[in-house]
Amino acid sequence: MNDRAVTFIGLALVGVVGMAFLILTPRFAELDVVLELTVYVIMAILALSLALVWGYGGILCFGQSAFFGLGAYTYAISMFNIGESTGPLLLAIALPAAFAALLGYFMFYGRISDVYLGVITLTVTLILFNSVNSTAGPEFHIGVARLGGFNGIPGIPPLNIPGNKAAAVDLEGMFYLATASLLATYFGLRLLLASRFGRVIVGIRENERRAELLGYDPRAYKLATFTIGGALAGFAGCLFANWGAFVSPTIFGLAQSAQIIIWVIVGGRGTLIGPILGCIGIQWLTTALGANQPSGTDWLSNLLANAPLILGMILVAFVLLVPKGLVPTLAELGHWLLRLRARREAPSLKPKQAKEV
């Protein structure tokens, strides 16, 4: 079986599982489970944005939460001022993309090295966090929307059918929208990466100097990749603001920035399905550790009650034991098993010599 056949089977499997998840989950799961799965799916779109920027573009970005938060706040503020969600949804994608393009222009055309790229994007995230966190007074407003400071913006109106303000999207509709958006994002990125543009950005990631000598401008390709990642993160932020009808400055925090990177590391850089699995798995594990709190008073019970510590230990062990990530490791294991099977079957395929009479 060649690589093209394996890729086709993998895409077909993802499509079948995704459609089954989209159709069957609301029919068989309780509403609270559907609501929980919705935020997992929304965060998976955010993970895909970093998977493109870092996993394929080679740009270590600590600031995906900045674009995520900008998308959420842009939707919330414009929704209170406009009232119909078509414009706010487009703004929630366009503004983070424009901000990513502006920031990326100064970074990439300024020939800033990879280490400083991470520092700059992290600094921008912290600046946004502190700026939004200090807007608690009534004088801080945009139109009729008050920023709320550390209290955030509650009661955000939901998305509606384009052009029909009265047809709001309910909780079940948010699950359908988020899951369909995740599938569209995944397959859209697969098409993008299979194109000439995708092959070039991977080539730049592997050897930027060689790509430049071949006539490509790495700065332009990196800028385009960074902008697309910002747009995807902003779209995820818009969906997140709809999911909880609330947004606060913690969306820009260090914890949020670190989580996105951990999702990609655990799932596997250089893949798209890996960050999705890493994101959903870690969120589920975090929820499970937080819900199952032991009630004992001994030291073991107190240790097990510390959910962040247990999660941190699991993640550190996972990164040390599986440094390439879950999906690349499983893929290497599958290839090794196939080669072992072919090696074992090889003697039986040799033609037998005819016996002399």
Side-chain angles (χ1 to χ4, degrees):
M1 187 179 295
N2 56 26
D3 292 340
R4 181 173 295 181
V6 172
T7 301
F8 178 78
I9 293 174
L11 288 174
L13 183 61
V14 171
V16 170
V17 172
M19 291 303 298
F21 180 76
L22 173 66
I23 296 171
L24 299 179
T25 300
R27 297 185 180 182
F28 296 99
E30 299 292 335
L31 183 59
D32 58 338
V33 176
V34 174
L35 187 63
E36 186 177 342
L37 291 175
T38 302
V39 72
Y40 293 175
V41 171
I42 292 171
M43 292 302 183
I45 299 176
L46 177 59
L48 281 179
S49 71
L50 185 61
L52 173 67
V53 172
W54 185 28
Y56 288 92
I59 306 166
L60 179 55
C61 176
F62 284 92
Q64 287 302 108
S65 60
F67 310 127
F68 182 67
L70 277 176
Y73 266 92
T74 300
Y75 174 80
I77 293 170
S78 56
M79 192 63 186
F80 279 112
N81 285 281
I82 297 175
E84 199 274 327
S85 67
T86 305
L89 173 61
L90 296 177
L91 284 173
I93 299 173
L95 184 61
F99 181 71
L102 181 63
L103 179 63
Y105 175 81
F106 289 106
M107 292 192 303
F108 301 129
Y109 283 86
R111 299 287 187 179
I112 296 176
S113 63
D114 294 340
V115 176
Y116 290 105
L117 284 175
V119 173
I120 290 173
T121 51
L122 179 61
T123 303
V124 168
T125 303
L126 294 177
I127 290 173
L128 288 174
F129 171 76
N130 291 319
S131 299
V132 177
N133 200 42
S134 60
T135 57
E139 67 274 13
F140 295 102
H141 62 89
I142 301 177
V144 299
R146 292 183 56 179
L147 299 182
F150 54 84
N151 293 316
I153 304 177
I156 301 172
L159 287 165
N160 56 259
I161 303 299
N164 188 357
K165 182 180 177 180
V169 178
D170 58 7
L171 295 178
E172 186 174 329
M174 270 303 302
F175 172 80
Y176 287 123
L177 175 61
T179 307
S181 299
L182 176 60
L183 290 173
T185 302
Y186 173 79
F187 286 105
L189 289 179
R190 288 300 299 257
L191 288 174
L192 179 67
L193 294 170
S195 66
R196 178 176 176 272
F197 175 84
R199 293 192 294 270
V200 171
I201 63 172
V202 172
I204 292 173
R205 180 197 66 186
E206 296 299 323
N207 194 320
E208 183 173 339
R209 179 59 60 87
R210 181 178 296 176
E212 193 170 5
L213 291 175
L214 290 173
Y216 299 104
D217 186 357
R219 299 170 300 177
Y221 281 93
K222 284 185 173 182
L223 179 59
T225 305
F226 196 65
T227 303
I228 295 171
L232 287 176
F235 176 62
C238 172
L239 295 179
F240 181 77
N242 276 272
W243 172 78
F246 174 76
V247 63
S248 70
T250 56
I251 202 170
F252 296 106
L254 282 175
Q256 183 66 47
S257 300
Q259 278 185 12
I260 308 171
I261 294 175
I262 291 173
W263 295 339
V264 178
I265 292 175
V266 170
R269 285 183 59 199
T271 68
L272 292 179
I273 196 64
I276 295 176
L277 297 178
C279 171
I280 295 176
I282 291 176
Q283 287 185 97
W284 173 83
L285 182 61
T286 304
T287 303
L289 289 174
N292 299 321
Q293 296 287 344
S295 57
T297 57
D298 57 299
W299 67 271
L300 181 59
S301 298
N302 292 329
L303 178 64
L304 294 175
N306 193 336
L309 176 62
I310 298 299
L311 181 63
M313 292 170 60
I314 293 173
L315 292 178
V316 169
F318 191 94
V319 171
L320 291 176
L321 297 175
V322 193
K324 292 183 179 180
L326 180 62
V327 171
T329 302
L330 291 177
E332 288 183 357
L333 179 61
H335 286 303
W336 179 79
L337 292 175
L338 289 175
R339 289 195 302 269
L340 181 62
R341 181 181 176 183
R343 193 178 300 118
R344 288 179 177 178
E345 293 178 352
S348 62
L349 298 177
K350 292 182 179 179
K352 296 182 178 180
Q353 293 181 355
K355 295 182 179 179
E356 295 182 358
V357 180

